[in-house]
Amino acid sequence: MARLKLQPLGDTCLNEECRSTNRILRAPDDDHELQSVMNELSRSDLAAGFTDAVESSIAYVLDGSRTWRFDLLGSDVHPGERASVGAKLEYEAQRAFDWKKAKPLDVEISGVPVDLKTTVGDNWAIPTEAHCHLCICTKIELKRNRHRSWLIRTHTSWLYRGKGNKDGKRGIAVDARHQWGFPLYDWTNIPINPLTHLTEEQAAMVFEKGKGQEVRLLRLFHYLPKTVISRNVILTVCAGNQDPMRRARAIREKAEKEGLLVLCGTWLDERAEALRHGFVLGSEDWVALPLNPTLQPESADLDRLF
């Protein structure tokens, strides 16, 4: 798509219903509503909140506890499913920041209507009802495993011309975002699912059909020692089975006999022990520590163990 030649600041917006005072195109510093919203947003840890929202949205789309999927870029994930992360993120962001749902757009911040838009591609699709309103635009770069958000007044004059898609949505001109989008936080990494660190052979072993949950979990901890394992990872490995957390607790004695100390953040003393070794566990996180630090995972006789 060719670059759009932008109207300069101070010009009159093409939209007769423009929300800006006198329909004037203004820089962020001169946009009173934008400054009011920014003042409210500055009270929150936006990078942390959006990271949580992005991670939850990806987990929701993958639905690992039913599908065994753990990589949004995997061949078993349809492109339409990747795109649906944005729709879920709208609700996850509202939850993370306790934003009030309000019409005519998605939320109301500091008394100002704000739309929430997300893309896993190159641009956002701005609907006609959001033209000339404030939008929080989040970009998720899956290949680089990072995200970032901007606050921008999506003036009709700053959107690509033409008919847009079949719903009348239009993308934001690249130069408009660069010049007049207000960055809310720097590029921030998305937490990596530990299952993506498995080799192809290891993943085949962890997800081997016909093997019980305890066998698969033991393999998981042997392949990924010194790695924080979340509840979601365990649910993915044990997809479709009953009470996987109980199975995780049940393998601890056997794991210790095989040279691994499996710690769970549910118990404060084990959380403290993990911290002593440099691992911060949440209440539903796990980590396996080799009792013999010189033993490498590759040297474990997994055929004998399992």
Side-chain angles (χ1 to χ4, degrees):
M1 182 178 292
R3 268 175 143 61
L4 176 67
K5 185 176 181 179
L6 301 178
Q7 288 180 264
L9 298 178
D11 270 15
T12 301
C13 181
L14 298 175
N15 183 3
E16 293 185 358
E17 298 180 0
C18 178
R19 186 176 175 88
S20 182
T21 304
N22 297 323
R23 293 170 50 197
I24 298 300
L25 302 177
R26 304 176 189 279
D29 288 346
D30 297 324
D31 187 328
H32 298 304
E33 284 191 336
L34 186 147
Q35 291 301 316
S36 178
V37 171
M38 275 304 309
N39 182 59
E40 180 68 26
L41 293 177
S42 66
R43 302 175 185 177
S44 301
D45 186 341
L46 297 174
F50 270 100
T51 297
D52 177 65
V54 169
E55 185 178 21
S56 297
S57 300
I58 291 174
Y60 176 86
V61 171
L62 289 173
D63 195 13
S65 63
R66 290 196 312 112
T67 66
W68 279 1
R69 300 186 306 185
F70 54 85
D71 185 359
L72 202 60
L73 290 174
S75 60
D76 53 355
V77 181
H78 190 275
E81 291 183 286
R82 295 188 191 102
S84 71
V85 169
K88 180 60 177 173
L89 183 61
E90 173 190 331
Y91 300 99
E92 290 296 333
Q94 289 179 44
R95 175 193 58 79
F97 299 106
D98 196 26
W99 286 334
K100 178 183 177 183
K101 178 73 175 176
K103 295 182 178 181
L105 301 179
D106 289 329
V107 297
E108 185 177 276
I109 302 174
S110 190
V112 179
V114 178
D115 218 27
L116 305 177
K117 293 301 169 193
T118 303
T119 183
V120 295
D122 295 324
N123 208 331
W124 299 269
I126 307 301
T128 54
E129 64 270 19
H131 288 193
C132 297
H133 281 272
L134 292 177
C135 291
I136 292 177
C137 296
T138 301
K139 185 178 180 65
I140 301 174
E141 293 190 345
L142 295 174
K143 291 184 178 180
R144 295 187 178 185
N145 206 59
R146 63 181 190 172
H147 65 94
R148 196 179 190 188
S149 297
W150 293 261
L151 179 65
I152 185 171
R153 174 81 67 183
T154 52
H155 280 294
T156 302
S157 297
W158 294 346
L159 304 179
Y160 285 112
R161 308 289 192 266
K163 297 180 180 179
N165 66 11
K166 64 182 180 180
D167 296 321
K169 298 177 179 178
R170 299 182 183 182
I172 302 173
V174 173
D175 289 338
R177 193 206 66 192
H178 287 168
Q179 295 176 32
W180 301 310
F182 195 102
L184 296 179
Y185 53 88
D186 290 332
W187 285 108
T188 301
N189 290 334
I190 303 169
I192 297 175
N193 189 318
L195 293 171
T196 61
H197 291 309
L198 295 172
T199 66
E200 188 174 336
E201 291 182 354
Q202 290 172 342
M205 292 284 284
V206 169
F207 291 98
E208 185 178 3
K209 293 183 178 180
K211 294 296 183 180
Q213 297 180 76
E214 294 184 14
V215 169
R216 295 206 298 274
L217 289 171
L218 277 168
R219 290 174 175 175
L220 172 71
F221 285 123
H222 271 281
Y223 289 138
L224 297 177
K226 298 183 178 181
T227 302
V228 176
I229 303 295
S230 69
R231 182 176 186 272
N232 181 60
V233 170
I234 291 176
L235 294 179
T236 300
V237 171
C238 299
N241 288 283
Q242 297 294 319
D243 206 0
M245 306 314 294
R246 182 171 67 85
R247 296 296 186 183
R249 292 189 291 272
I251 68 170
R252 290 150 63 89
E253 184 175 341
K254 184 171 184 180
E256 189 166 354
K257 291 179 180 178
E258 304 299 345
L260 286 178
L261 175 63
V262 177
L263 302 173
C264 177
T266 300
W267 293 279
L268 294 179
D269 59 332
E270 295 191 11
R271 200 183 303 182
E273 178 66 11
L275 186 60
R276 193 172 70 82
H277 289 272
F279 299 95
V280 179
L281 300 185
S283 61
E284 295 183 302
D285 292 336
W286 299 69
V287 68
L289 303 177
L291 292 173
N292 180 0
T294 62
L295 178 65
Q296 298 299 315
E298 296 80 17
S299 66
D301 187 350
L302 295 180
D303 290 335
R304 177 179 64 82
L305 295 177
F306 312 126

